[in-house]
Amino acid sequence: MRKNSIKNTRINGEVLKELANIIRGEIKDPRIHPMTSVVAVEVAPDLKTCKAWISVLGDEKAQADTLAGLRSAEGYIRRELARTVNLRNTPEIRFVLDQSIEYGVNMSKKIDELKRKEKDDANAES
């Protein structure tokens, strides 16, 4: 099975959906921030490993705590994934913090500030 085959793409989508459901509804760890989302999942073609990109809306402490909570619950998450997704092998999950949403929000704020500054400069000249 090639890395970007249709089968692998479907598996990635299914694992992403189930992983999001498990994290949102079944884990009771207080360290995991309620605004945690699974951004992307990449399952290896041999179904042995899986990288899950996690986005946490909060400060750096909340992000670190959420990552620690997810890493401590890896066994439970893998067991639930095996129960819900019928795969030959259940992949070993590795959580990676995704900063892309936070980066996008910061860039949007900077663009808005520049527009506001430009508008103020244009009003000052008039």
Side-chain angles (χ1 to χ4, degrees):
M1 179 168 64
R2 293 187 325 272
K3 187 174 184 177
N4 293 326
S5 69
I6 293 171
K7 182 179 178 184
N8 197 273
T9 304
R10 280 196 347 247
I11 289 172
N12 288 344
E14 192 64 28
V15 169
L16 181 129
K17 186 177 78 174
E18 290 301 325
L19 204 54
N21 287 339
I22 292 168
I23 290 172
R24 182 179 54 245
E26 297 180 22
I27 297 181
K28 304 290 189 258
D29 194 329
R31 293 178 290 181
I32 297 174
H33 196 272
M35 294 298 287
T36 301
S37 61
V38 182
V39 177
V41 169
E42 185 178 302
V43 179
D46 63 354
L47 304 177
K48 298 284 186 192
T49 59
C50 170
K51 256 188 194 176
W53 282 271
I54 304 296
S55 176
V56 180
L57 193 64
D59 60 348
E60 288 185 20
K61 184 184 182 322
Q63 293 174 351
D65 288 349
T66 298
L67 215 50
L70 288 173
R71 287 186 176 141
S72 71
E74 265 179 18
Y76 173 77
I77 293 170
R78 188 174 181 195
R79 186 171 58 247
E80 288 300 307
L81 196 62
R83 194 176 55 78
T84 56
V85 180
N86 187 17
L87 293 174
R88 180 177 52 233
N89 298 319
T90 304
E92 184 178 322
I93 305 165
R94 199 169 80 227
F95 294 103
V96 180
L97 197 59
D98 182 46
Q99 303 283 354
S100 64
I101 294 174
E102 185 178 340
Y103 177 77
V105 169
N106 287 335
M107 290 305 287
S108 179
K109 284 180 184 176
K110 288 179 181 180
I111 291 170
D112 290 344
E113 285 175 17
L114 283 174
K115 284 183 179 178
R116 197 175 313 112
K117 191 174 184 180
E118 230 174 59
K119 186 178 178 183
D120 291 345
D121 289 346
N123 289 339
E125 288 177 4
S126 300

